[in-house]
Amino acid sequence: MPEEMLAVKNLKKYFVTRQGKVRAVDNVNFTIKEGETFGLVGESGSGKTTIAHTIVGIHQPTEGEIFFKGQSISKAFSGRPKILKKDIRIVYQDPGSSLNPRRSIKQILELPLRVHHICNSKNRMGKIKELLRFVELPPEYMHKYPQAISGGEKQMIAIARALASNPSFIVLDEPTSALDVSVQAKIITLLMRLQQNLKLTYLFITHDLSLMRNMANQVAIMYFGKISEVAPTVEFFRNPFHPYTKMLLSSIPVVSEEEEALKPKTVISRGEIPSSINVPPGCSFHLRCPEKMDICSKVDPLMTRLEENHFVRCHLYQEAEPAASKI
């Protein structure tokens, strides 16, 4: 039985602006087992990247806790120990902006090796070649600069940099969305191979549900800072419950009639997306929900358990067992 690698408990992250308070992450719970990929899916502005930045220590949680390998790390924001920074790494969405254009690939990969004392100066060249081999790039690439390589190759370098400190957990923040479609499959295949060979655990963040079917062990859907539904991947695609999940799944493009038959019945979104500062009372999705009831505009639903590992936050299923603390 895999051990629990990461647990997010009642996590909240609010930002205060001139216009008001933005509840970017609002009482989120989930766990990730060792060796698994947890897929976090949602529209832009749903809070996915804020969760990622809070986990890696860029943001201080407003409330709640984050546990890594059984130890609370949310209180260590102001001075996270190097061992924690070494073990939790992140790959950003746009490799063009995450790599320093004034540094060579050798310098980019050498920095985490020096900071985390991975190897001595005599062995660094060999380690850099090994990192390039991990991401299927030739050793001579170490002498290139980011502007001299393609977008896909930049992302491979960003992945190699994340691997340099020998981490066990990597946050992948939309690692393929800035790349051409022809390159995306190569990056996904690379990430899956690295996970298997290096025993890595991933938090995979994306707005593309089609990536999750073969990439993730569990999938969670976010909407306006909250998780709407979470389930094992097979169950998630086979039997979605939340109207928002059904809407997203029904919009996935397919190429065959067989695939079309497996999709939920098309759900048409109503109304408008609310403001992130003036989120309406009740369920935040009720303005767009085709199955809205009177209670939806008044009371925010609780997360409930419908099946062993399948949870949903919707008034349509509120008679089920409350399970906010069991995810």
Side-chain angles (χ1 to χ4, degrees):
M1 187 72 178
E3 295 185 1
E4 190 177 273
M5 175 69 75
L6 185 90
V8 174
K9 304 291 186 183
N10 303 317
L11 182 66
K12 297 181 181 181
K13 179 58 187 177
Y14 301 160
F15 296 98
V16 178
T17 69
R18 292 182 179 180
Q19 291 75 31
K21 182 185 293 184
V22 177
R23 298 173 181 264
V25 179
D26 198 6
N27 202 34
V28 163
N29 293 270
F30 62 85
T31 60
I32 306 176
K33 297 290 183 64
E34 183 179 348
E36 290 187 345
T37 296
F38 186 90
L40 195 58
V41 185
E43 299 172 81
S44 297
S46 62
K48 308 183 304 296
T49 295
T50 302
I51 288 178
H53 288 179
T54 306
I55 288 172
V56 300
I58 296 174
H59 296 321
Q60 171 79 58
T62 302
E63 289 184 26
E65 284 197 273
I66 302 169
F67 294 89
F68 181 69
K69 296 182 178 179
Q71 301 294 318
S72 176
I73 63 173
S74 43
K75 302 281 192 304
F77 172 81
S78 59
R80 280 194 170 183
K82 273 190 178 181
I83 188 65
L84 196 57
K85 296 177 181 179
K86 173 179 177 291
D87 214 12
I88 301 176
R89 305 291 288 172
I90 185 169
V91 175
Y92 293 99
Q93 176 179 357
D94 182 8
S97 61
S98 67
L99 300 178
N100 190 334
R102 297 186 179 183
R103 290 183 178 270
S104 68
I105 303 305
K106 174 181 175 293
Q107 292 172 315
I108 289 171
L109 297 181
E110 188 178 30
L111 181 60
L113 298 178
R114 289 193 292 105
V115 169
H116 296 291
H117 308 290
I118 301 301
C119 54
N120 57 38
S121 57
K122 293 182 180 179
N123 298 324
R124 280 180 195 150
M125 192 66 68
K127 182 65 176 177
I128 291 171
K129 291 180 181 179
E130 181 185 50
L131 290 169
L132 290 171
R133 188 170 65 252
F134 277 160
V135 296
E136 303 173 356
L137 290 175
E140 55 266 26
Y141 266 58
M142 72 172 72
H143 304 298
K144 295 177 178 286
Y145 283 78
Q147 61 266 33
I149 60 179
S150 68
E153 290 168 338
K154 289 176 187 177
Q155 195 63 293
M156 291 176 184
I157 296 299
I159 293 169
R161 179 178 60 183
L163 296 173
S165 63
N166 300 322
S168 60
F169 182 77
I170 299 181
V171 176
L172 302 168
D173 187 9
E174 304 211 38
T176 62
S177 64
L179 306 177
D180 292 339
V181 174
S182 59
V183 182
Q184 291 181 6
K186 184 175 182 180
I187 296 295
I188 293 299
T189 302
L190 172 64
L191 289 169
M192 294 175 70
R193 179 178 61 79
L194 290 170
Q195 182 178 39
Q196 183 176 11
N197 294 344
L198 302 178
K199 312 301 181 186
L200 298 170
T201 304
Y202 291 152
L203 170 61
F204 191 94
I205 294 171
T206 182
H207 62 271
D208 187 349
L209 264 173
S210 60
L211 287 176
M212 294 293 98
R213 192 184 293 273
N214 297 315
M215 185 74 184
N217 301 96
Q218 286 194 89
V219 180
I221 293 290
M222 284 199 73
Y223 185 77
F224 266 82
K226 298 182 179 182
I227 290 181
S228 300
E229 185 167 0
V230 57
T233 305
V234 174
E235 176 67 14
F236 181 88
F237 283 92
R238 182 182 66 84
N239 192 25
F241 287 105
H242 199 284
Y244 181 55
T245 306
K246 295 176 182 178
M247 183 186 79
L248 294 179
L249 289 175
S250 69
S251 66
I252 296 176
V254 295
V255 295
S256 69
E257 293 182 0
E258 290 80 4
E259 290 177 316
E260 185 67 35
L262 294 174
K263 290 169 54 176
K265 182 180 177 181
T266 301
V267 177
I268 300 175
S269 174
R270 303 174 178 177
E272 298 181 357
I273 300 175
S275 165
S276 58
I277 295 176
N278 298 310
V279 178
C283 174
S284 53
F285 186 61
H286 82 265
L287 294 178
R288 303 170 64 189
C289 183
E291 300 185 56
K292 179 179 66 174
M293 303 180 292
D294 288 342
I295 192 174
C296 299
S297 61
K298 302 172 184 176
V299 180
D300 193 16
L302 299 174
M303 185 71 80
T304 56
R305 182 200 301 269
L306 297 183
E307 298 178 4
E308 184 178 357
N309 293 306
H310 197 153
F311 304 87
V312 65
R313 193 177 62 83
C314 180
H315 283 298
L316 293 171
Y317 312 99
Q318 284 297 280
E319 68 277 6
E321 175 190 0
S325 62
K326 300 179 182 179
I327 301 177

